[in-house]
Amino acid sequence: SVAPFAAAKAQDFPSRNVTMIVPFAAGGPTDTVARLIAESMSRSLGQQVVVENVGGAGGTRGAGQVAKAAPDGYTILLHHIGQATSATLYRKLPYNVLTDFEEVGLVTDVPMTMIGKSTLEPKDAAALIAYVKEKKDGVIYGNAGVGSASHLCGMLFMSAIGTPMTTVPYQGTGPAMNDLVGGQIDLMCDQTTNTTGQIKAGKVKAYGVTTPNRLKSLPDIPTFKEGALPGFEIAVWHGLYAPKGTPKVTIDKLNAALLTALQDPKVIARFADLGTEPVALERATPEVHEKFLAAEVAKWKPVIEQAGVFAD
Ligand code: MLT
């Protein structure tokens, strides 16, 4: 049978490059997390972990590619909260979020900021809410497609204020940010790993942070909890996956390299500059990640069904 051969192959994993699929365009926040982790994992695995951006359909195109890849550890997925929300948002997914992957471990939780083009009229969150309620679909909101974190944040914001906006989907919030800075779109809610630099450079207007506490990296930006929209909260968790059936010995090697990356001073420092930090190491295990993903699918299902927003 093939079992002994596969077992022998797993023993010498990795003997060539590993591909880390990022299901969004290069230059976005998911890509930023992936490249930092991949660089450190390359060193500890002794083989290049090469990031490949596969955008489209809010992250489900890239995730689907990994679900169908050979279960040998040479194709892995770095994805975020969208892995959980897409299970409900897409009623005809070509894969099963909960059974077609092996979880390798959680990576980081990233806060989000609601940001506007620099010329957008409202000066603060309260004025922004009044503005959106008045302009409705005259406000152009950019996201990375149904299933992305920017989509989820926009959906929660529109539900909280009871007003729709016009949404424009991009292959990732890297390209979306270019249009926001250029003034082609009005508003976007995105992860601090993508927005911190632009906010500090004064290229966009920051209206609020979506986590309960203010950020050390952006201390002057109020949280929505402080006043403008108390119930509006979201943070974007990221996790690492392999296809279902990847041998445990291989998952363990990938997990060991992930744990090393999460303790890498360079990764920790860069994450801190970008408003985030690695998850506590006890959360970066396959078992915790698997349970957490199932809980997140269950958590977001009623929220998405209540909002009545589906991709297909
Ligand atoms: C998202 O909105 O899900 C991400 O920010 C997309 C990306 O990383 O480009």
Side-chain angles (χ1 to χ4, degrees):
S1 86
V2 76
F5 176 70
K9 270 176 66 180
Q11 283 311 329
D12 66 18
F13 173 87
S15 57
R16 57 185 165 82
N17 285 359
V18 174
T19 299
M20 179 187 282
I21 301 265
V22 169
F24 296 103
T30 312
D31 187 57
T32 299
V33 170
R35 288 178 195 275
L36 280 168
I37 295 296
E39 187 193 339
S40 174
M41 288 180 74
S42 301
R43 283 197 297 277
S44 39
L45 288 170
Q47 292 289 347
Q48 272 306 315
V49 177
V50 179
V51 170
E52 185 183 329
N53 300 89
V54 178
T60 58
R61 200 170 140 257
Q65 196 167 304
V66 175
K68 295 181 172 33
D72 56 15
Y74 288 101
T75 308
I76 57 179
L77 169 72
L78 191 124
H79 200 352
H80 58 37
I81 193 171
Q83 178 80 329
T85 57
S86 52
T88 304
L89 287 163
Y90 289 81
R91 293 173 286 196
K92 294 196 286 293
L93 268 187
Y95 59 88
N96 183 307
V97 163
L98 296 177
T99 58
D100 288 341
F101 298 90
E102 304 287 353
E103 286 71 33
V104 175
L106 293 169
V107 178
T108 182
D109 293 302
V110 183
M112 300 190 90
T113 49
M114 184 68 77
I115 53 177
K117 64 182 179 186
S118 56
T119 55
L120 199 66
E121 204 179 295
K123 61 185 183 334
D124 60 23
L128 173 71
I129 291 165
Y131 180 83
V132 175
K133 284 183 171 176
E134 184 213 336
K135 301 275 183 191
K136 301 185 190 312
D137 54 12
V139 181
I140 311 295
Y141 177 84
N143 67 28
V146 177
S148 66
S150 45
H151 160 264
L152 181 63
C153 187
M155 185 189 88
L156 295 175
F157 180 71
M158 289 183 271
S159 296
I161 65 173
T163 309
M165 297 183 279
T166 296
T167 57
V168 176
Y170 290 79
Q171 293 286 301
T173 48
M177 179 65 86
N178 294 338
D179 277 6
L180 185 73
V181 170
Q184 279 78 27
I185 56 175
D186 297 321
L187 198 65
M188 178 165 79
C189 175
D190 195 16
Q191 300 172 64
T192 54
T193 33
N194 194 29
T195 61
T196 303
Q198 301 289 3
I199 293 169
K200 292 190 169 179
K203 299 270 186 67
V204 294
K205 216 174 245 184
Y207 288 106
V209 166
T210 64
T211 41
N213 304 314
R214 287 200 182 201
L215 306 176
K216 287 194 288 293
S217 51
L218 294 165
D220 304 336
I221 301 178
T223 67
F224 281 99
K225 188 181 173 84
E226 278 172 48
L229 217 50
F232 172 51
E233 270 182 45
I234 177 173
V236 183
W237 55 270
H238 295 69
L240 200 56
Y241 304 84
K244 189 73 181 175
T246 304
K248 185 169 178 345
V249 63
T250 304
I251 296 291
D252 291 346
K253 283 182 185 172
L254 289 167
N255 176 260
L258 171 63
L259 291 174
T260 301
L262 296 180
Q263 300 169 83
D264 180 332
K266 190 163 169 271
V267 171
I268 295 170
R270 191 73 191 114
F271 274 4
D273 291 344
L274 297 173
T276 186
E277 61 186 3
V279 298
L281 296 188
E282 58 272 13
R283 291 183 67 209
T285 66
E287 299 73 25
V288 170
H289 183 182
E290 182 181 16
K291 286 194 186 68
F292 182 73
L293 175 64
E296 283 287 292
V297 171
K299 167 185 171 184
W300 291 105
K301 187 170 186 298
V303 176
I304 290 162
E305 287 171 344
Q306 197 268 328
V309 173
F310 298 99
D312 50 13

